[in-house]
Amino acid sequence: MKIVNNIALILNIIGGINWGLIGLFKFDLVAWICGGQDSVFARIIYCIVGLAAIWCISLLFNGRTAEKD
């Protein structure tokens, strides 16, 4: 489970950086890399990052971090 937890945390960091870029500069890095927000690849990345966030919610409520496993 440590690997899954670490992957989820990395994906959340990527998502957080992307949201920071959107908030500060109105620049969506994922959309830029994938050819726009409506591209299939960008939507897949957004979904994967969202699922990783849901996974990290379970880490929060279990009182566990990726390093304890």
Side-chain angles (χ1 to χ4, degrees), residues 33-55:
I33 290 171
C34 299
Q37 287 182 334
D38 294 329
S39 73
V40 173
F41 190 60
R43 292 176 56 93
I44 290 170
I45 291 174
Y46 295 140
C47 289
I48 291 171
V49 171
L51 290 172
I54 292 169
W55 181 266

Side-chain angles (χ1 to χ4, degrees), residues 12-48:
N12 276 287
I13 290 168
I14 291 168
I17 290 170
N18 193 53
W19 274 109
L21 288 172
I22 292 169
L24 291 173
F25 305 111
K26 295 183 182 179
F27 178 71
D28 188 343
L29 181 64
V30 172
W32 181 73
I33 290 171
C34 299
Q37 287 182 334
D38 294 329
S39 73
V40 173
F41 190 60
R43 292 176 56 93
I44 290 170
I45 291 174
Y46 295 140
C47 289
I48 291 171

